[in-house]
Amino acid sequence: MQTNKSDILKRAFDKLVPLSEVEWAAMESCLKERSFKKGSFLCQQGNVEKYLSIITSGTCRGFYNKDGEEISVTFMFSKDYVSAYYSFLTNRPSLLAIQALTPVHVISISKIDLDYLCATYKNAERIGRLNAERIYRRKEEREISLLTMSATERYKELLNRNPKLLQQIPLKYIASYLGIQPASLSRIRKQIQGLKD
């Protein structure tokens, strides 16, 4: 499956831990390319997450459904990992839903294949650990920002992460992510635009 897309993944892994040809060949044989239409789900709430994936193109959001209201908790862009990770680790039904906000292409590995690689190759286990740490850091950064930053600061941080954000994500999802109403987000955006003028 040697494609430009898998090259992206190999370069990302090599930055963490250089892989031998044998290790990469074993890993590559376990990878699967998947595509999703805009609006479709990579993982539905209530389903068990079977894959850990990296986005090669597109944008996703992760959200919870509480009393019929969708609460966005994360956005994922090209080169980000995407998974209902708790479900992936525990094999339990996911409370988190992951939806494609644009057409999305990913490279995925199943839990069974990942466990096999980690048990067989020391560097695969190391990559798995380092990526788990990265996912954990991102989750904790989100929690810290909710507790210590204003909605305006969180919005600016989100824009710094991906300046094209507003072209890809409906404002109602961004407002939900920030924990505010869409009208409040509109005011924040006007304030920020006023500072630029």
Side-chain angles (χ1 to χ4, degrees), residues 57-69:
S57 66
T59 301
C60 298
R61 74 170 176 131
F63 68 93
Y64 294 101
N65 195 315
K66 182 178 179 185
D67 301 325
E69 181 183 354

Side-chain angles (χ1 to χ4, degrees), residues 79-81 129-138:
K79 299 183 183 174
D80 282 343
Y81 287 94
R129 179 179 57 80
L130 291 169
N131 282 323
E133 290 174 3
R134 179 179 173 184
I135 291 168
Y136 173 79
R137 280 196 309 270
R138 186 163 168 199

Side-chain angles (χ1 to χ4, degrees), residues 23-102:
E23 290 168 327
W24 173 244
M27 188 170 290
E28 189 180 34
S29 71
C30 296
L31 300 177
K32 177 179 181 181
E33 291 188 33
R34 301 188 299 152
S35 297
F36 299 87
K37 294 179 181 177
K38 179 180 178 179
S40 63
F41 287 84
L42 285 74
C43 183
Q44 291 264 21
Q45 189 175 27
N47 290 351
V48 174
E49 174 65 270
K50 299 294 186 188
Y51 295 100
L52 177 62
S53 305
I54 190 166
I55 299 174
T56 55
S57 66
T59 301
C60 298
R61 74 170 176 131
F63 68 93
Y64 294 101
N65 195 315
K66 182 178 179 185
D67 301 325
E69 181 183 354
E70 294 179 357
I71 302 170
S72 297
V73 293
T74 187
F75 299 112
M76 294 144 282
F77 306 97
S78 180
K79 299 183 183 174
D80 282 343
Y81 287 94
V82 57
S83 180
Y85 197 56
Y86 182 80
S87 174
F88 178 78
L89 292 176
T90 63
N91 204 38
R92 293 179 180 174
S94 179
L95 297 176
L96 181 73
I98 299 176
Q99 184 180 35
L101 295 180
T102 65

Side-chain angles (χ1 to χ4, degrees), residues 50 88 109-117:
K50 299 294 186 188
F88 178 78
I109 188 166
S110 71
K111 180 77 163 67
I112 292 169
D113 286 337
L114 183 60
D115 287 345
Y116 162 76
L117 290 170

Side-chain angles (χ1 to χ4, degrees), residues 1-3 5-33 51-54 81 107-131:
M1 189 190 88
Q2 190 67 28
T3 67
K5 291 181 180 179
S6 63
D7 285 345
I8 292 169
L9 196 60
K10 185 175 188 309
R11 285 195 297 271
F13 287 166
D14 281 344
K15 286 180 182 176
L16 297 172
V17 180
L19 295 170
S20 71
E21 288 185 20
V22 171
E23 290 168 327
W24 173 244
M27 188 170 290
E28 189 180 34
S29 71
C30 296
L31 300 177
K32 177 179 181 181
E33 291 188 33
Y51 295 100
L52 177 62
S53 305
I54 190 166
Y81 287 94
I107 297 176
S108 303
I109 188 166
S110 71
K111 180 77 163 67
I112 292 169
D113 286 337
L114 183 60
D115 287 345
Y116 162 76
L117 290 170
C118 288
T120 307
Y121 300 100
K122 185 176 181 180
N123 280 338
E125 189 277 332
R126 223 176 134 207
I127 288 171
R129 179 179 57 80
L130 291 169
N131 282 323

